[in-house]
Amino acid sequence: MTKTFICITLAALFFLGCSNDDSGDGGTMEDNTVTIEFSQQSGADLEMNSGNLPVLLLAGTVSEPSTVTISDTGTGSATGGGVDYSFESPQTITIPTGSYSGSLATAIAIPTLSIVDDNDIEGTETIVLALSDPTGEAILGNTNTTNYQILDDEAALVQFSQATFFDQERNGGNLPFLLVTGIVSEPSTVTISDTGTGSATGGGVDYSFESPQTITVPIGTYDGTSNSAIAIPGLTIVDDAMTEGIETIALNLSEATGNAILESETTTTYEIRDVIPCENGMVNNFSCNGYDLLGQVSLSTFSASSGNDIWGWTDPTTAKEYALVGLDDGTAFVDVSDDENLVYLGKLPTATVSSTWRDIKVYQNHAFIVSEAAGHGMQVFDLTRLRSVIDPPETFSADTRYTNIGNAHNIVINEEIGYAYPVGTQRNDAFNGGVHFVNIQNPTNPVGVGGYGNNGYTHDAQVVTYNGPDMDYAGREILVGANETQIAIVDITSKTNPTEVATLSYGNLGYTHQGWFTDDHRYYILGDELDEINFGFNSRTLVFDLSDLENPIIHTTYTGPTSAIDHNGYVLGNEFFLSNYTAGIRVLDISAISSGTITEKGHFDTYPSNDTPSFDGVWSVYPYFDSGKIIVNDINSGLFVIRESD
């Protein structure tokens, strides 16, 4: 597809009209459209509060009368007509003219929706609403239905917070607890029993627990979250220093008294997990050296066919660590904060169709996601939403989507200045598939401000605020692009006037794929994705000396122990973490890189079948968590969490 710029001068009409027919993003975007969707797929509040009701999020501009219809689907369990709630269905909502940000600041409340606080003990009831029939400039977004739960306040609903828990034996944490929702107005109890069906041994061998035991639920108001949860007394895990794999404890809730009633999660299984150490070069059937296995999440758990990119996010408020896992059909979010306690929180589906390629980066607690899927654009997801997931896994919706690009192979972010750089877009777009400049300082309102394409298609890149030895460029914003047949160094400080600094090539070039600066910005470590196949090398990693950005030179070459293809690699201090496809993760010691010496210090091979040069195994790695955990995404097997051996 092509992008055509048509500019027509109509002097008689006293204006210059200019239209941009951008078919490269999978569809033409009108000047004035507003995307409408529910603020959440599911919400809940106590009957007496009637809060947290769904609202309509709008993103875009409305210049003419526009409407959308909201209907009660009738599939919820609550009774309308003023019994449990009131709502006029269907009803047509008029969207006032104006501009909308896609956030709660410009949201529209749903008229006539109100909750009735009755005196009946009913448990949780639901209302299901749907959006349809947009008119004028209104179009529907992704979240077209919403399920609102009316949490009964005449009873206290008691349940385990989820059906399964787990943690490492040495931590003994992340134990099951009780969630209570509603008002306890009289003495109330529930009974917790060890079912005896778990594989762990009680009585202080693997764990201690007095069973059965009666738990008193104190009088008070409970919001159904961990803020008002009740711990299970006496449940402790014993670290016996034995390698036993996974052992389980199964607990059951029964015999509610007073105004406590049991909700859906009345059983839970807790898994006591050993860290599986790398011993004699193996973890299970995985070859290893110096790295232990903390846990895995399979592709089947994600309901996906293949994995690709991976990135991480640390919540600045809670210090929890999360894996952002690229999949063929979306992005999965996994809480990895408690070592092996891998909690799959949910998935953000792909914006259009599935694709082998997806890439993720983070800025200001938001994930920015691109894909080779046609018309995908750039999804933006507020990661702080992961704090409030109660019933995982959820299906998430994007907070906004930037559609001034269609497909993109990768995304680069310079977090110091708040700009995103989608690369590898359509080769016939305005920047030849090069680099697009997008201001993301307001993460949910990305603004395109130009781009650079003088060096052709950019497959991947790194952008830094330069702090290296070349003082001519100190403090400048420098892009180093892996451009298929060359490395391109570009000064992009001025978004209106980006300037080529240098280009360079090298011998036996197959496909210039991806690279990363050392922390001092002196050396650039590059992977060529096809040289192993085309020239029969073992894994080859090239190092360039960029002390003089205008005159870069090859510094040294490292050759790995296998013929596997090298893929994405990242620097952390004196280590280079190399995704090596069928050879897994290889960790290289680069402390002596100035002398040209690079050695392998360890590895973890997630693809035990072979080490041949094929596109299987590890796609990417993220080594930047403060905890030392390293998250790995394997194309064929999914998420691995590993850590350097003690």
Side-chain angles (χ1 to χ4, degrees), residues 507-530:
N508 294 315
L509 190 151
Y511 190 90
T512 306
H513 178 263
Q514 184 264 357
W516 209 254
F517 268 118
T518 53
D519 288 349
D520 61 4
H521 291 177
R522 177 174 180 177
Y523 299 105
Y524 180 73
I525 305 176
L526 176 78
D528 182 309
E529 194 174 24
L530 295 182

Side-chain angles (χ1 to χ4, degrees), residues 550-602:
E550 296 175 7
N551 296 285
I553 58 173
I554 186 75
H555 175 66
T556 191
T557 299
Y558 167 78
T559 302
T562 77
S563 62
I565 300 167
D566 51 325
H567 203 227
N568 297 341
Y570 298 100
V571 171
L572 176 61
N574 287 325
E575 296 175 330
F576 183 65
F577 291 82
L578 175 62
S579 305
N580 208 178
Y581 275 125
T582 56
I585 292 299
R586 321 301 291 201
V587 183
L588 307 184
D589 182 347
I590 58 172
S591 59
I593 194 171
S594 61
S595 66
T597 301
I598 297 175
T599 57
E600 181 174 292
K601 63 170 290 186

Side-chain angles (χ1 to χ4, degrees), residues 175-195:
L175 292 167
F177 54 92
L178 299 183
L179 291 182
V180 184
T181 306
I183 298 175
V184 179
S185 57
E186 62 181 82
S188 302
T189 65
V190 295
T191 297
I192 305 179
S193 304
D194 184 344
T195 68

Side-chain angles (χ1 to χ4, degrees), residues 217-560:
V217 184
I219 293 173
T221 300
Y222 297 83
D223 64 3
T225 72
S226 58
N227 295 327
S228 60
I230 297 176
I232 299 174
L235 179 59
T236 59
I237 307 302
V238 176
D239 184 0
D240 56 18
M242 297 174 61
T243 301
E244 302 164 301
I246 295 175
E247 299 176 294
T248 59
I249 308 166
L251 302 178
N252 180 67
L253 282 177
S254 63
E255 300 177 11
T257 69
N259 67 331
I261 61 175
L262 300 180
E263 188 63 329
S264 55
E265 298 288 0
T266 58
T267 62
T268 190
T269 299
Y270 181 81
E271 296 182 350
I272 306 170
R273 297 188 172 184
D274 285 331
V275 171
I276 307 176
C278 178
E279 294 180 333
N280 300 316
M282 296 296 291
V283 169
N284 294 340
N285 63 329
F286 303 115
S287 169
C288 61
N289 177 23
Y291 289 85
D292 300 331
L293 176 63
L294 301 183
Q296 295 176 247
V297 181
S298 67
L299 290 174
S300 61
T301 298
F302 295 137
S303 299
S305 298
S306 63
N308 41 65
D309 189 46
I310 195 164
W311 207 246
W313 174 63
T314 300
D315 187 328
T317 299
T318 66
K320 284 193 170 186
E321 297 172 334
Y322 297 87
L324 319 181
V325 185
L327 305 167
D328 62 308
D329 61 351
T331 305
F333 304 97
V334 181
D335 182 347
V336 299
S337 56
D338 192 3
D339 283 347
E340 191 186 341
N341 177 27
L342 311 185
V343 182
Y344 172 35
L345 297 173
K347 181 193 290 187
L348 172 64
T350 183
T352 54
V353 296
S354 294
S355 170
T356 301
W357 297 275
R358 193 169 308 278
D359 201 74
I360 311 154
K361 297 296 185 297
V362 170
Y363 173 73
Q364 290 292 337
N365 302 324
H366 287 74
F368 296 80
I369 304 162
V370 299
S371 174
E372 289 273 20
H376 185 280
M378 179 176 72
Q379 294 173 309
V380 183
F381 179 76
D382 182 353
L383 293 164
T384 63
R385 292 165 59 185
L386 301 179
R387 298 171 184 163
S388 57
V389 174
I390 295 174
D391 186 23
E394 291 188 4
T395 300
F396 298 107
S397 59
D399 290 275
T400 194
R401 183 160 71 100
Y402 177 79
T403 54
N404 288 351
I405 57 170
N407 62 287
H409 186 77
N410 267 294
I411 182 169
V412 183
I413 291 180
N414 184 350
E415 295 184 48
E416 291 188 40
I417 67 166
Y419 271 78
Y421 303 99
V423 299
T425 55
Q426 291 183 352
R427 294 174 186 268
N428 58 358
D429 70 10
F431 305 110
N432 305 314
V435 186
H436 290 248
F437 304 155
V438 185
N439 184 329
I440 58 170
Q441 291 163 1
N442 179 353
T444 56
N445 186 32
V447 178
V449 294
Y452 178 82
N454 290 357
N455 300 111
Y457 181 90
T458 300
H459 183 81
D460 205 338
Q462 185 185 15
V463 177
V464 299
T465 301
Y466 184 73
N467 188 31
D470 190 339
M471 297 309 296
D472 291 342
Y473 292 92
R476 307 290 291 179
E477 193 177 16
I478 300 298
L479 177 145
V480 183
N483 284 31
E484 299 188 299
T485 59
Q486 63 180 346
I487 300 168
I489 305 173
V490 186
D491 184 340
I492 59 172
T493 309
S494 170
K495 299 300 179 286
T496 58
N497 187 33
T499 305
E500 178 184 305
V501 176
T503 61
L504 67 153
S505 187
Y506 51 89
N508 294 315
L509 190 151
Y511 190 90
T512 306
H513 178 263
Q514 184 264 357
W516 209 254
F517 268 118
T518 53
D519 288 349
D520 61 4
H521 291 177
R522 177 174 180 177
Y523 299 105
Y524 180 73
I525 305 176
L526 176 78
D528 182 309
E529 194 174 24
L530 295 182
D531 53 358
E532 291 84 10
I533 292 176
N534 292 353
F535 303 105
F537 298 142
N538 274 11
S539 301
R540 183 178 67 147
T541 300
L542 300 110
V543 180
F544 297 88
D545 188 336
L546 270 58
S547 298
D548 181 351
L549 289 177
E550 296 175 7
N551 296 285
I553 58 173
I554 186 75
H555 175 66
T556 191
T557 299
Y558 167 78
T559 302

